[in-house]
Amino acid sequence: MVASEKPFVFTHVDGRPVEQPDPEPMEVEKTDERVVSIFLSDFAKNTHPIYFWQQTSEDITVCVRMPEGVTKDEVQFRLTADNISIGVQGFPPLLEGQLYAPVDPEASAWIIKNDKSLEVSLQKRSEGPMWPELVMGDRRGECVMSDEQAALIHERLTYLTSEDLVTVQHEHVYKVDILS
């Protein structure tokens, strides 16, 4: 058995090269005399994150990659306090499932950015705790940390990498210098 969180392919079996299948063609839909390319083959291969998300203690911003040229009428968006579904009309949802924690649907909104991504603002129902994931069990997105969050984590963990470590053991304090 082989398990992996990242995509992989077998290149050799018993020392012999494995033939790789040709990539699947992308599905194309004609709408209003223009072609909307759905990168379903990229999504199926999981070569790029489908969405990026960022959070504060009060809210979450999600950016979902969409086919270029998608209009607001083609966007399929459903949000309840506990579930989200985002997609393009006529295709399976790009992002769907139970949110890590409840949100306030009335205080949430979405817009199309740069003609190729959907930006969703979600208002957390409970202020404070940071979410380890956006949608339960969905590993196709990537959490992006803000500079402020990164600086705060760095500040909290600096003592682990300082040149002078202080250790408390059996009520005695030991100072340890790290030699380079």
Side-chain angles (χ1 to χ4, degrees), residues 63-112:
C63 288
V64 181
R65 291 177 39 210
M66 301 292 270
E68 198 163 335
V70 166
T71 66
K72 66 177 184 163
D73 295 329
E74 296 170 309
V75 172
Q76 299 286 300
F77 181 83
R78 281 192 332 267
L79 179 66
T80 65
D82 300 310
N83 289 283
I84 191 167
S85 178
I86 299 172
V88 176
Q89 188 174 2
F91 294 94
L94 298 170
L95 175 62
E96 182 176 48
Q98 181 181 349
L99 294 166
Y100 179 78
V103 297
D104 180 358
E106 298 298 317
S108 301
W110 63 267
I111 59 170
I112 296 176

Coordinates of all heavy atoms in Angstrom, one line a residue, residues 63-112:
C63 N -9.6 32.6 -2.1 CA -9.5 32.9 -3.5 C -9.5 31.6 -4.3 O -8.7 30.7 -4.1 CB -8.3 33.7 -3.9 SG -8.3 35.4 -3.3
V64 N -10.6 31.4 -5.1 CA -10.7 30.1 -5.9 C -10.4 30.4 -7.3 O -10.9 31.3 -7.9 CB -12.2 29.6 -5.8 CG1 -12.3 28.3 -6.5 CG2 -12.6 29.4 -4.3
R65 N -9.5 29.6 -7.9 CA -9.1 29.8 -9.3 C -10.3 29.4 -10.1 O -10.9 28.3 -9.9 CB -8.0 28.9 -9.6 CG -6.7 29.3 -9.0 CD -5.5 28.3 -9.3 NE -5.5 27.8 -10.7 CZ -5.1 26.6 -11.0 NH1 -4.6 25.8 -10.1 NH2 -5.1 26.2 -12.2
M66 N -10.7 30.2 -11.1 CA -11.8 30.0 -12.0 C -11.3 30.1 -13.4 O -10.3 30.7 -13.7 CB -12.9 31.1 -11.7 CG -13.5 31.1 -10.3 SD -14.4 29.7 -9.9 CE -16.0 30.2 -10.4
P67 N -12.1 29.5 -14.3 CA -11.8 29.6 -15.7 C -11.8 31.1 -16.1 O -12.7 31.8 -15.7 CB -12.8 28.8 -16.5 CG -13.4 27.9 -15.4 CD -13.2 28.6 -14.1
E68 N -10.9 31.5 -16.9 CA -10.8 32.9 -17.3 C -12.1 33.3 -18.1 O -12.6 32.5 -18.9 CB -9.6 33.2 -18.2 CG -9.3 34.6 -18.3 CD -7.9 34.9 -18.8 OE1 -7.0 34.0 -18.7 OE2 -7.6 35.9 -19.4
G69 N -12.7 34.4 -17.8 CA -13.9 34.9 -18.5 C -15.2 34.5 -17.9 O -16.2 34.8 -18.4
V70 N -15.2 33.7 -16.8 CA -16.4 33.3 -16.2 C -17.2 34.5 -15.7 O -16.6 35.5 -15.1 CB -16.1 32.4 -15.0 CG1 -17.4 32.2 -14.1 CG2 -15.7 31.0 -15.5
T71 N -18.5 34.6 -15.9 CA -19.3 35.7 -15.5 C -20.0 35.3 -14.2 O -20.1 34.2 -13.8 CB -20.4 36.0 -16.5 OG1 -21.3 34.9 -16.6 CG2 -19.8 36.3 -17.9
K72 N -20.5 36.4 -13.5 CA -21.2 36.1 -12.2 C -22.4 35.2 -12.4 O -22.7 34.5 -11.5 CB -21.6 37.5 -11.6 CG -22.6 38.2 -12.3 CD -23.0 39.5 -11.6 CE -24.1 40.2 -12.4 NZ -24.8 41.2 -11.6
D73 N -23.0 35.3 -13.6 CA -24.2 34.4 -13.8 C -23.8 32.9 -13.9 O -24.6 32.1 -13.7 CB -24.9 34.8 -15.1 CG -25.5 36.2 -14.9 OD1 -25.9 36.6 -13.8 OD2 -25.6 36.9 -16.0
E74 N -22.6 32.6 -14.2 CA -22.1 31.2 -14.4 C -21.6 30.7 -13.1 O -21.4 29.5 -12.9 CB -21.0 31.2 -15.4 CG -21.5 31.5 -16.8 CD -20.3 31.7 -17.8 OE1 -19.4 32.4 -17.5 OE2 -20.4 31.0 -18.9
V75 N -21.3 31.5 -12.1 CA -20.8 31.1 -10.8 C -21.9 30.4 -10.0 O -23.0 31.0 -9.9 CB -20.2 32.3 -10.0 CG1 -19.9 31.9 -8.6 CG2 -19.0 32.9 -10.7
Q76 N -21.6 29.3 -9.5 CA -22.6 28.6 -8.6 C -22.0 28.7 -7.2 O -20.9 28.1 -6.9 CB -22.7 27.1 -9.0 CG -23.2 26.8 -10.4 CD -24.7 27.1 -10.5 OE1 -25.4 26.4 -9.8 NE2 -25.0 28.0 -11.3
F77 N -22.7 29.4 -6.3 CA -22.2 29.7 -5.0 C -23.3 29.4 -4.0 O -24.4 30.0 -4.1 CB -21.7 31.1 -4.8 CG -21.2 31.5 -3.5 CD1 -19.9 31.2 -3.2 CD2 -22.0 32.1 -2.5 CE1 -19.3 31.5 -1.9 CE2 -21.5 32.4 -1.3 CZ -20.2 32.1 -1.0
R78 N -23.0 28.5 -3.0 CA -24.0 28.3 -1.9 C -23.2 28.3 -0.6 O -22.1 27.7 -0.5 CB -24.6 26.9 -2.0 CG -25.7 26.8 -3.1 CD -26.5 25.5 -3.0 NE -25.8 24.4 -2.5 CZ -25.2 23.5 -3.2 NH1 -25.2 23.6 -4.5 NH2 -24.6 22.5 -2.7
L79 N -23.8 29.0 0.4 CA -23.1 29.1 1.7 C -24.2 29.0 2.8 O -25.2 29.7 2.7 CB -22.4 30.4 1.8 CG -21.7 30.7 3.1 CD1 -20.5 29.7 3.4 CD2 -21.1 32.2 3.2
T80 N -24.0 28.1 3.7 CA -24.8 28.1 4.9 C -23.8 28.3 6.1 O -22.6 28.5 5.8 CB -25.5 26.7 5.1 OG1 -24.5 25.7 5.3 CG2 -26.3 26.3 3.9
A81 N -24.3 28.3 7.3 CA -23.4 28.5 8.4 C -22.3 27.5 8.5 O -21.2 27.8 8.9 CB -24.2 28.5 9.7
D82 N -22.6 26.2 8.0 CA -21.6 25.1 8.2 C -21.0 24.6 6.9 O -20.1 23.8 6.9 CB -22.3 24.0 8.9 CG -22.7 24.4 10.3 OD1 -21.9 25.0 11.0 OD2 -23.9 24.2 10.6
N83 N -21.6 24.9 5.7 CA -21.2 24.3 4.5 C -21.0 25.4 3.4 O -21.6 26.4 3.4 CB -22.2 23.3 4.0 CG -22.3 22.1 4.8 OD1 -21.4 21.2 4.7 ND2 -23.2 22.0 5.7
I84 N -20.1 25.0 2.4 CA -19.8 25.9 1.3 C -19.8 25.1 0.0 O -19.4 23.9 0.0 CB -18.5 26.7 1.5 CG1 -18.4 27.8 0.5 CG2 -17.3 25.8 1.5 CD1 -17.3 28.8 0.8
S85 N -20.2 25.7 -1.1 CA -20.1 25.0 -2.4 C -19.8 26.2 -3.4 O -20.6 27.1 -3.5 CB -21.4 24.3 -2.8 OG -21.3 23.7 -4.1
I86 N -18.7 26.0 -4.2 CA -18.3 27.0 -5.2 C -18.1 26.2 -6.5 O -17.3 25.2 -6.5 CB -17.1 27.7 -4.8 CG1 -17.3 28.5 -3.5 CG2 -16.6 28.7 -5.9 CD1 -16.1 29.1 -2.9
G87 N -18.6 26.7 -7.6 CA -18.4 26.0 -8.9 C -18.8 26.9 -10.0 O -19.1 28.1 -9.9
V88 N -18.8 26.3 -11.2 CA -19.2 26.9 -12.4 C -20.3 26.1 -13.0 O -20.3 24.9 -13.0 CB -18.0 26.9 -13.5 CG1 -18.4 27.5 -14.8 CG2 -16.8 27.7 -12.9
Q89 N -21.4 26.8 -13.4 CA -22.6 26.2 -14.0 C -22.2 25.1 -15.0 O -21.4 25.3 -15.9 CB -23.4 27.3 -14.6 CG -24.8 26.9 -15.0 CD -25.6 28.1 -15.5 OE1 -25.1 29.2 -15.6 NE2 -26.8 27.8 -15.9
G90 N -22.8 23.9 -14.8 CA -22.7 22.8 -15.7 C -21.5 21.9 -15.4 O -21.3 21.0 -16.1
F91 N -20.7 22.2 -14.3 CA -19.6 21.4 -13.9 C -19.7 21.0 -12.5 O -20.3 21.7 -11.7 CB -18.3 22.1 -14.2 CG -18.0 22.4 -15.7 CD1 -18.4 23.6 -16.3 CD2 -17.4 21.4 -16.4 CE1 -18.2 23.8 -17.6 CE2 -17.2 21.6 -17.8 CZ -17.6 22.8 -18.4
P92 N -19.0 20.0 -12.0 CA -19.0 19.7 -10.6 C -18.3 20.8 -9.8 O -17.5 21.5 -10.3 CB -18.1 18.4 -10.5 CG -18.0 17.9 -11.9 CD -18.2 19.1 -12.8
P93 N -18.7 21.0 -8.5 CA -18.2 22.0 -7.7 C -16.7 21.9 -7.6 O -16.1 20.9 -7.5 CB -18.8 21.8 -6.4 CG -20.0 21.0 -6.6 CD -19.7 20.2 -7.8
L94 N -16.0 23.1 -7.6 CA -14.5 23.1 -7.4 C -14.2 23.0 -5.9 O -13.2 22.4 -5.6 CB -14.0 24.5 -7.9 CG -14.2 24.7 -9.4 CD1 -13.8 26.1 -9.8 CD2 -13.3 23.7 -10.2
L95 N -15.0 23.5 -5.1 CA -14.8 23.5 -3.6 C -16.2 23.2 -3.0 O -17.1 24.0 -3.2 CB -14.2 24.8 -3.1 CG -14.1 24.9 -1.6 CD1 -13.1 23.9 -1.1 CD2 -13.6 26.3 -1.3
E96 N -16.3 22.2 -2.2 CA -17.5 21.8 -1.6 C -17.3 21.0 -0.3 O -16.4 20.2 -0.3 CB -18.4 21.0 -2.6 CG -19.7 20.6 -2.0 CD -20.6 19.9 -3.1 OE1 -20.1 19.0 -3.7 OE2 -21.7 20.3 -3.3
G97 N -18.1 21.4 0.7 CA -18.0 20.6 2.0 C -18.3 21.3 3.2 O -18.7 22.5 3.2
Q98 N -18.1 20.6 4.3 CA -18.3 21.2 5.6 C -17.2 22.1 6.1 O -16.0 21.7 6.0 CB -18.5 20.1 6.7 CG -18.8 20.6 8.0 CD -19.0 19.5 9.1 OE1 -19.1 18.4 8.7 NE2 -19.0 19.9 10.3
L99 N -17.5 23.3 6.4 CA -16.5 24.3 6.9 C -16.0 23.8 8.3 O -16.7 23.1 9.0 CB -17.1 25.7 7.1 CG -17.5 26.3 5.8 CD1 -18.4 27.5 6.0 CD2 -16.3 26.7 5.0
Y100 N -14.7 24.2 8.6 CA -14.1 23.8 9.9 C -14.9 24.3 11.1 O -15.1 23.6 12.1 CB -12.7 24.3 10.0 CG -12.0 23.9 11.3 CD1 -11.5 22.7 11.5 CD2 -11.9 24.9 12.3 CE1 -10.9 22.3 12.7 CE2 -11.3 24.5 13.5 CZ -10.8 23.2 13.7 OH -10.3 22.9 14.9
A101 N -15.5 25.5 11.0 CA -16.3 26.0 12.0 C -17.4 26.9 11.4 O -17.3 27.3 10.2 CB -15.5 26.8 13.0
P102 N -18.5 27.2 12.1 CA -19.5 28.0 11.5 C -19.1 29.4 11.1 O -18.3 30.1 11.8 CB -20.6 28.1 12.7 CG -20.3 27.0 13.6 CD -18.8 26.8 13.5
V103 N -19.8 29.9 10.1 CA -19.6 31.3 9.6 C -21.0 32.0 9.6 O -22.0 31.4 9.8 CB -19.0 31.4 8.2 CG1 -17.6 30.8 8.2 CG2 -19.9 30.7 7.2
D104 N -21.0 33.3 9.5 CA -22.2 34.1 9.4 C -22.5 34.3 7.9 O -21.8 35.2 7.3 CB -22.1 35.4 10.1 CG -23.3 36.2 10.0 OD1 -24.3 35.8 9.4 OD2 -23.3 37.3 10.6
P105 N -23.4 33.6 7.2 CA -23.6 33.7 5.8 C -24.1 35.1 5.4 O -23.8 35.6 4.4 CB -24.7 32.7 5.5 CG -24.7 31.8 6.7 CD -24.2 32.5 7.8
E106 N -24.8 35.8 6.3 CA -25.4 37.1 6.0 C -24.3 38.2 5.9 O -24.4 39.2 5.3 CB -26.4 37.5 7.1 CG -27.6 36.6 7.1 CD -28.4 36.6 5.8 OE1 -28.6 37.7 5.2 OE2 -28.8 35.5 5.4
A107 N -23.2 37.9 6.7 CA -22.0 38.9 6.7 C -20.9 38.5 5.7 O -19.9 39.1 5.7 CB -21.5 39.0 8.1
S108 N -21.2 37.5 4.9 CA -20.2 37.0 3.9 C -20.6 37.4 2.5 O -21.7 37.7 2.2 CB -20.1 35.5 4.0 OG -19.8 35.1 5.3
A109 N -19.6 37.5 1.6 CA -19.8 38.0 0.3 C -18.8 37.4 -0.7 O -17.7 36.9 -0.2 CB -19.8 39.5 0.2
W110 N -19.0 37.5 -2.0 CA -18.0 37.1 -3.0 C -18.0 38.1 -4.2 O -19.0 38.7 -4.5 CB -18.3 35.7 -3.5 CG -19.6 35.4 -4.2 CD1 -20.7 35.0 -3.6 CD2 -19.8 35.6 -5.6 NE1 -21.7 34.9 -4.6 CE2 -21.2 35.2 -5.8 CE3 -19.1 35.9 -6.7 CZ2 -21.8 35.2 -7.1 CZ3 -19.7 36.0 -8.0 CH2 -21.0 35.6 -8.1
I111 N -16.8 38.1 -4.8 CA -16.7 38.9 -6.1 C -15.7 38.2 -7.0 O -14.9 37.4 -6.6 CB -16.1 40.4 -5.8 CG1 -14.8 40.3 -5.1 CG2 -17.1 41.2 -5.0 CD1 -14.1 41.6 -5.0
I112 N -15.9 38.5 -8.3 CA -14.9 38.0 -9.3 C -13.8 39.0 -9.4 O -14.0 40.1 -9.6 CB -15.6 37.7 -10.7 CG1 -16.7 36.7 -10.5 CG2 -14.6 37.4 -11.7 CD1 -17.5 36.4 -11.8

